[in-house]
Amino acid sequence: DFVMTQSPDSLALSLGERATISCKSSRNLLYSLNKKNFLAWYQQKPGQPPKLLIYWASTRDSGVPARFSGSGSGTDFTLTISNLQAEDVAVYYCQQYFATPWTFGQGTKVEIK
Amino acid sequence: QVQLVQSGGGMKKPGASMKVSCEASGYTFTSYAISWVRQAPGQGLEWMGWISTSTSNTIYAQRFQGRVAMTADASTNTAYMELRSLRSDDTAVYYCARQVVLVATQEPYYIDFWGQGALVTVSS
């Protein structure tokens, strides 16, 4: 199975700061034929289902604010939230869809300091 | 707008079965697959399995093999997930989720929309 490891487990930042969340895969997520990384990022607010933020490692889903960006390739990925807003308080998960069983990182909780 | 409306949660006894339904609307049901993902209280997300809504092919996570069954009824735009021989550690919120597929091959890609979840509590 692909093991997804996120760091840190939690972070607390001030409004307007930049949040950086790392996600490392135990195996390569870059598919050579289409040059795409099979990685997504989700945001989950308390009491709500997850919401898709980023797919193909760096493509923002429709309606997702531009302050959310994804980067990385292969086994190392990053979700960046620039200019942190109060409504960004949530748990963030990365997920690989390269091969079943599709697996998630353990989550990173983002709070406002 | 896209909706996945779930029903079927509740209290269950150990050893019993549960069945959660997921009624889709706002899009062409057979153009997307459905995955089932669960989340134990205070824990992370665990993928359980996937069903192609156009072919009814399924892939289950190994740890649920033999205990889970996923079906899809295109006539009612509804997907179902049944889990048998329930244990206390099956207590979780069960989500259905719409999964983008490459239509020509049904190759599954990312999940782009989630149902609201159904809480199942297993307790004697």
Side-chain angles (χ1 to χ4, degrees), chain B residues 8-21:
Chain B
M11 293 282 294
K12 301 292 181 182
K13 299 282 190 191
S17 297
M18 57 168 269
K19 191 169 187 177
V20 179
S21 65

Side-chain angles (χ1 to χ4, degrees), chain A residues 1 31 34 38 40 42 44 47-52 55-56 61 93 95 97 100-106, chain B residues 35 37 39 43-47 49-50 59 61-62 95 99 107-117:
Chain A
D1 295 2
Y31 186 40
N34 63 10
F38 282 53
Y42 300 91
Q44 186 177 32
Q48 296 185 17
K51 174 190 171 187
L52 175 65
Y55 56 96
W56 300 128
D61 194 29
Y93 295 94
Q95 183 229 339
Y97 48 98
T100 57
W102 297 311
T103 47
F104 295 85
Q106 80 277 17
Chain B
S35 264
V37 177
Q39 186 170 37
Q43 301 302 307
L45 301 166
E46 180 179 29
W47 177 77
W50 165 93
I59 298 176
Q62 188 167 11
Y95 293 103
Q99 190 145 11
E107 180 183 358
Y109 293 149
Y110 52 91
I111 288 170
D112 73 340
F113 192 82
W114 299 66
Q116 85 277 14

